[in-house]
């Protein structure tokens, strides 16, 4: 788990685009079959695409976020302090967003859900998923917990009403968000679309650009789990 | 070690091939709606706007926002200027673009290739750049949607999506989408619903979106 010596930073942006291209190809004509009865989609090959190098961004000097604590909320509104740190020997996936986000956030959460499905069950069990809201006013505890629950079981819904606490978490990860209410009542939200993998020491060991896709994520997770 | 430029070209080629395969799938049922425009009968098939792979993501619990995607190839220069769905499906429909502050509009445009090549050369300094970018935060409210440099994205309504003749334009995650607001009921996998698209030249075309867990 030590920082990789001179591991080349891979072209994760290029790969993200490549993955986006592949999705376009794979989706070809799939819908004409008329049913998705099996519950699986055509876009994700069940076999994965496992590489021998991590494809996300790895820093020579990993960001440390283990001291960052954000409340985890349950559907009933109760909260538990949640540190951005994986359980011993495990990994923690973290992304921030908002539930009224129809495009970016569900793409990322679907990617990690599918990535976990590409891993063996024992590997997947070692990858926890946390999703924090940047829009706590609309994303109440019950909303957050139902939303995350529709992607993954046992996910950690993170929500703080304290802007300073949210900002501290975002600053630690190097991300930003902004919620702007227009006079006409519409709410505009901007937020970083990156996602992070954190180890049991609270070190960010991998960072994924938006659109990295389940195959890349699964491949990285397997390598990181191997340590 | 993989050569990023080659890889990207391969990706682009794959999309192009995908487009060829896709042509004609799924959008032919909409003939009735588009016959309002005066089409010559001789080469009608070749001249029709091709819309394929129309889908919407299963809407997660507790949200009333959804998004629909598709691929469009117009035989002539055209523009998508409107979209609507039945009021049984959603209260409001808008054409949106998700803008990735890092890369401009990502994913739907092969012209990003040049930008990406540039990015590669700066790759080694990326970690430092990300740290520095925090300093832009104070001006974010003013610059929403401008270059925030930290992977931030936001959605914005657009008046139209340009459709250059013969070029496949993808509405896809992280790029353009048909935004469905005030969903009446959650979109469930396997559901289908119609979307009426309005094109500057081709007029109204109705397509059927399939809800996917994708
Ligand atoms: Cu939108």
């Amino acid at each position: 788990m030590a920082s990789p010596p001179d591991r080349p930073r891979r072209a994760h942006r290029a790969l993200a685009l490549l993955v986006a291209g592949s999705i376009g190809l794979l989706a070809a004509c799939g819908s004409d079959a008329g049913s998705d009865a099996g519950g699986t989609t055509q876009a994700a090959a069940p076999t994965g695409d496992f590489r021998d190098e991590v494809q996300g961004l790895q820093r020579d000097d990993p960001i440390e976020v283990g001291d960052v604590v954000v409340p985890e909320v349950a559907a009933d509104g109760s909260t538990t302090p949640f540190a951005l740190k994986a359980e011993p020997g495990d990994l923690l996936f973290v992304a921030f967003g908002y539930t009224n986000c129809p495009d970016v956030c569900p793409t990322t959460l679907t990617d990690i859900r599918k990535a976990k499905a590409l891993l063996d069950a024992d590997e997947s069990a070692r990858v926890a998923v946390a999703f924090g809201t940047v829009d706590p006013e609309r994303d109440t505890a019950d909303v957050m917990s139902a939303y995350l629950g529709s992607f993954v079981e046992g996910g950690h819904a993170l929500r703080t009403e304290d802007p300073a606490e949210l900002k501290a978490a975002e600053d630690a990860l190097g991300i930003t968000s902004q919620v702007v209410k227009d006079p006409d009542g519409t709410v505009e939200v901007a937020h970083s679309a990156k996602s992070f993998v954190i180890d049991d020491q609270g070190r960010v060991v991998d960072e994924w650009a938006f659109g990295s896709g389940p195959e890349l994520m699964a491949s990285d997770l397997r390598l990181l789990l191997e340590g | 070690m993989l050569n990023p430029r080659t890889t990207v070209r391969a990706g682009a080629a794959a999309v192009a091939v995908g487009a060829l395969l896709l042509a004609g799938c799924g959008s032919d049922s909409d003939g009735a709606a588009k016959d309002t425009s005066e089409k010559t009968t001789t080469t009608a098939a070749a001249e029709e706007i091709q819309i394929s792979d129309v889908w919407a993501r299963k809407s997660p619990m507790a949200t009333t926002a959804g998004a629909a995607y598709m691929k469009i190839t117009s035989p002539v220069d055209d523009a998508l200027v409107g979209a609507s769905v039945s009021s049984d499906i959603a209260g409001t429909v808008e054409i949106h673009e998700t803008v990735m502050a890092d890369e401009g509009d990502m994913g739907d445009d092969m012209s990003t290739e040049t930008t990406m090549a540039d990015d590669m050369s700066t790759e080694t300094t990326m970690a430092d750049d990300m740290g520095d970018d925090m300093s832009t935060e104070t001006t974010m409210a003013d610059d929403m949607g401008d270059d925030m440099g930290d992977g931030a994205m936001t959605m914005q309504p657009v008046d139209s999506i340009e459709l250059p003749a013969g070029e496949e334009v993808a509405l896809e995650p992280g790029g353009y989408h048909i935004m469905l607001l005030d969903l009446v009921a959650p979109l469930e996998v396997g559901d289908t619903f119609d979307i009426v698209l309005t094109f500057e030249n081709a007029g109204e075309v109705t397509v059927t979106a399939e809800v996917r867990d994708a």
Side-chain angles (χ1 to χ4, degrees):
Chain A
M1 303 297 274
S3 59
D6 290 319
R7 178 167 291 185
R9 288 202 182 87
R10 297 294 295 265
H12 73 295
R13 292 181 187 188
L15 287 164
L17 283 183
L18 176 60
V19 168
S22 309
I23 289 166
L25 175 60
L26 286 164
C29 294
S31 62
D32 282 349
S35 79
D36 220 356
T40 53
T41 55
Q42 299 86 345
T47 48
D49 177 17
F50 293 93
R51 312 287 182 90
D52 52 15
E53 274 184 87
V54 168
Q55 298 165 73
L57 174 70
Q58 294 193 303
R59 297 171 194 260
D60 292 339
D61 192 9
I63 304 173
E64 310 255 355
V65 296
D67 293 340
V68 176
V69 176
V70 186
E72 174 177 354
V73 291
D76 64 5
S78 62
T79 63
T80 333
F82 184 84
L84 298 185
K85 182 191 284 196
E87 295 293 317
D90 290 0
L91 294 171
L92 172 67
F93 167 94
V94 174
F96 280 78
Y98 66 110
T99 70
N100 279 290
C101 164
D103 188 40
V104 169
C105 309
T107 300
T108 301
L109 289 170
T110 300
D111 280 353
I112 186 64
R113 173 174 64 73
K114 289 186 171 177
K116 281 166 66 71
L118 289 170
L119 295 173
D120 298 337
D122 57 328
E123 291 172 319
S124 179
R126 292 170 58 202
V127 180
V129 173
F131 179 70
T133 179
V134 302
D135 183 11
E137 193 173 322
R138 291 189 297 172
D139 290 344
T140 54
D142 56 329
V143 167
M144 276 301 284
S145 126
Y147 181 84
L148 184 54
S150 61
F151 293 97
V152 291
E153 273 177 46
H156 303 277
L158 309 183
R159 174 181 185 270
T160 174
E161 291 179 357
D162 177 359
E165 198 169 36
L166 174 60
K167 188 169 184 315
E170 291 178 329
D171 284 355
L173 291 165
I175 56 176
T176 57
S177 68
Q178 186 79 30
V179 179
V180 176
K181 275 184 235 172
D182 292 339
D184 68 359
T186 61
V187 181
E188 257 187 88
V189 181
H191 65 90
S192 303
K194 291 161 64 180
S195 49
F196 301 86
V197 183
I198 299 168
D199 72 7
D200 59 3
Q201 302 300 304
R203 290 181 299 221
V204 175
V205 289
D206 200 359
E207 294 170 43
W208 293 321
F210 173 77
S212 290
E215 287 81 10
L216 184 155
M217 291 179 176
S219 177
D220 277 11
L221 288 168
R222 177 166 288 175
L223 293 169
L224 293 164
L225 286 168
E226 283 165 2
Chain B
M1 198 52 57
L2 114 178
N3 174 332
R5 287 190 66 94
T6 307
T7 309
V8 173
R9 291 227 174 90
V15 171
V17 171
L20 290 174
L21 293 173
L22 282 161
C25 313
S27 63
D28 284 338
S29 55
D30 50 64
K34 78 173 73 117
D35 283 343
T36 47
S37 61
E38 74 288 54
K39 285 263 182 325
T40 58
T41 48
T42 45
T43 54
E47 304 243 329
E48 281 178 12
I49 194 160
Q50 300 290 336
I51 305 168
S52 59
D53 202 22
V54 185
W55 65 284
R57 192 191 308 279
K58 174 183 86 142
S59 64
M61 295 296 291
T63 62
T64 57
Y69 306 96
M70 64 193 71
K71 296 184 171 68
I72 308 173
T73 307
S74 172
V76 295
D77 285 347
D78 205 337
L80 176 67
V81 294
S84 63
V85 300
S86 155
S87 57
D88 313 344
I89 300 293
T92 309
V93 181
E94 294 174 351
I95 304 173
H96 275 200
E97 181 177 18
T98 293
V99 181
M100 186 178 217
D102 264 353
E103 298 178 0
D105 31 27
M106 156 191 181
D108 49 32
D109 188 353
M110 291 314 157
S111 68
T112 54
E113 192 185 25
T114 24
T115 327
M116 281 181 39
D118 293 344
D119 278 358
M120 307 313 308
S121 58
T122 58
E123 180 97 20
T124 45
T125 58
M126 234 167 89
D128 306 304
D129 285 343
M130 285 175 169
D132 292 348
D133 284 332
M134 297 310 299
S135 61
T136 60
E137 191 177 38
T138 43
T139 56
M140 248 179 72
D142 304 319
D143 296 346
M144 187 128 129
D146 288 356
D147 195 349
M148 288 180 261
D150 63 350
M153 295 176 118
T154 188
M155 301 185 296
Q156 58 199 26
V158 293
D159 292 335
S160 65
I161 297 176
E162 294 304 315
L163 303 169
E167 202 172 289
E168 183 187 79
V169 174
L171 280 65
E172 63 189 2
Y176 293 117
H177 55 274
I178 305 295
M179 175 87 177
L180 308 170
L181 291 156
D182 304 321
L183 286 172
V184 174
L187 301 175
E188 310 267 13
V189 172
D191 286 356
T192 59
F193 62 91
D194 285 352
I195 306 175
V196 180
L197 303 169
T198 307
F199 296 94
E200 213 163 64
N201 290 319
E204 285 192 351
V205 178
T206 302
V207 295
T208 302
E210 179 192 51
V211 180
R212 297 185 193 163
D213 186 14

